[in-house]
Structure formats: C-alpha cells, structure tokens
Amino acid sequence: MFRPVVNLLVLAGLVMAPLSVAAFVKPEAANGMPFWAFLLMAVGFIGFAMGYSKFVDWFMPPGESDPFERYDRRGCR
C-alpha cells in the first residue's frame, strides 16, 4: 500500500532534471549546490522507486494478486 507514495518519487525525479539545468545556467539560484547534485537526486529518486517496486514484487507469492488492487482507481470500471 506504500507503493503509490514511493512512485511519487518518480515525479520528483522528473522535476529534478530541469531543475539541474536551471542550476547549471544560473548557479547563484541554487545557493551553492552544484548542478550535478540535482541530477544525482533525480537518478536516486527514480532508482529507489523502481527498486522498491521490484523488491515488493519479489516477496509476492507466484500467482497471487495484489490485495490492494481494489483501491486502485484504474481497476474501478
């Protein structure tokens, strides 16, 4: 049930990429933080979200459905 919250890190990683370009163009806007730190955060956020999803899927027994699928809005039709 924590997976949707962790998947928001993908969105945060996508926001960090243009932010790193802005920090590269105007370094004084980043308060001394180098532009590559934003790129590392983007990679870390996305990598953690994907790794967490794979880790949770690893524990799910084969043939078992997601018990929280009924709360997923895509499943409600």
Side-chain angles (χ1 to χ4, degrees), residues 31 57 64 77:
N31 271 341
D57 287 341
E64 187 70 28
R77 297 195 195 273

Side-chain angles (χ1 to χ4, degrees), residues 6 19 42 64 70:
V6 172
L19 191 63
E64 187 70 28
R70 63 181 168 190

Side-chain angles (χ1 to χ4, degrees), residues 32-57:
M33 204 167 171
F35 75 94
W36 50 264
F38 292 103
L39 285 176
L40 284 177
M41 281 191 281
V43 169
F45 287 164
I46 293 172
F48 178 78
M50 295 178 85
Y52 177 81
S53 293
K54 295 291 182 191
F55 182 71
V56 170
D57 287 341

